[in-house]
Amino acid sequence: GKLVIATHNAGKLKEIAKLLEPHGLDCISAGSLGLPEPPETGTTFVENALIKARAAAEASGLPALADDSGLSVAALDGRPGVYTADWAERQFFEGEPGRDWYMAMGKVEGLLQAKGPDTPRDCWFSCVLAISWPDGEHVVYEGRADGTLTWPPRGTMGFGYDPVFVPQGRQQTFAELEPEEKHAISHRADAFAKLKADQFAA
Ligand code: ITT
């Protein structure tokens, strides 16, 4: 069947399409349908994922999948968390309103360094996937990947904060791992494993 992918983030869209590939769904991006981006007014990943999935399902009349995710740093009381994308918002980036990930990663690093050289660098990525159906039904699945923050950023693959995230048990950052390797251990893959077990089990 058809499924709207309710994200306007190209990096996420690519990963979601890849993770859904084996399931033969007809995935349609919110961008290609011209769906608006609803304001993410929630204070949790679950609330924001549901806001995005519901808005897309209502506007399209099709089932819609949304992903709300972010990076939480233990020593910063879980910040930036649900505000991970907001920390990269820039009024003018390369002449346009947009996002500057290097600036956002630097802000996190700066706050951590201000806490002193021995501050633990533990952090985790969260991913909440929500599916909403036009009749109002919905489901949510949560995933997580633990790791540590590194500086300076390394690697060119992935997106967002991948260059500063070293997953537990590895030396490379997410941005230095091949997509297949990231998909074996990521927060998004963890959430998708739960979604698949529930929605696509034979
Ligand atoms: P949509 O709301 O349109 O889906 P967004 O980028 O605004 O796109 P979020 O509000 O969920 O999405 O923000 C999550 C941010 O967390 C995202 O922009 C990335 O910077 C970061 N993030 C999430 N998953 C990530 C991953 O796998 N690797 C690196 N950064 C990630």
Side-chain angles (χ1 to χ4, degrees):
K2 289 186 176 175
L3 181 66
V4 175
I5 312 301
T7 180
H8 290 81
N9 178 316
K12 267 191 196 175
L13 182 64
K14 198 171 160 192
E15 291 195 0
I16 292 170
K18 184 82 192 163
L19 288 159
L20 283 173
E21 206 172 56
H23 300 283
L25 290 163
D26 184 4
C27 293
I28 311 163
S29 74
S32 72
L33 290 176
L35 301 184
E37 282 189 75
E40 294 181 33
T41 52
T43 56
T44 64
F45 295 117
V46 171
E47 281 173 10
N48 283 337
L50 281 170
I51 286 171
K52 292 186 276 191
R54 281 192 179 126
E58 274 169 26
S60 67
L62 294 167
L65 170 73
D67 167 317
D68 202 64
S69 42
L71 179 73
S72 299
V73 181
L76 301 179
D77 303 317
R79 286 181 294 160
V82 286
Y83 305 105
T84 298
D86 297 344
W87 281 28
E89 296 297 348
R90 259 230 152 142
Q91 192 93 48
F92 293 103
F93 175 57
E94 291 172 354
E96 299 273 334
R99 288 170 172 175
D100 180 343
W101 299 112
Y102 193 85
M103 176 194 74
M105 292 187 289
K107 183 172 171 180
V108 173
E109 177 64 19
L111 288 172
L112 209 48
Q113 284 184 13
K115 295 222 154 213
D118 299 326
T119 309
R121 305 185 68 86
D122 308 58
C123 60
W124 66 94
F125 269 125
S126 302
C127 174
V128 170
L129 296 172
I131 306 178
S132 189
W133 283 267
D135 67 4
E137 201 192 325
H138 65 261
V139 290
V140 295
Y141 305 96
E142 305 195 40
R144 173 172 167 148
D146 286 280
T148 54
L149 266 199
T150 190
W151 194 260
R154 304 194 314 257
T156 55
M157 288 179 276
F159 68 99
Y161 292 66
D162 280 343
V164 291
F165 183 83
V166 177
Q168 224 163 51
R170 307 295 298 247
Q171 306 291 322
Q172 301 113 308
T173 67
F174 263 177
E176 292 176 313
L177 296 178
E178 294 298 331
E180 295 71 30
E181 291 181 82
K182 180 180 172 187
H183 289 151
I185 55 178
S186 80
H187 49 307
R188 190 158 292 105
D190 185 30
F192 263 100
K194 294 169 187 171
L195 181 154
K196 289 176 178 187
D198 202 34
Q199 297 293 323
F200 303 135

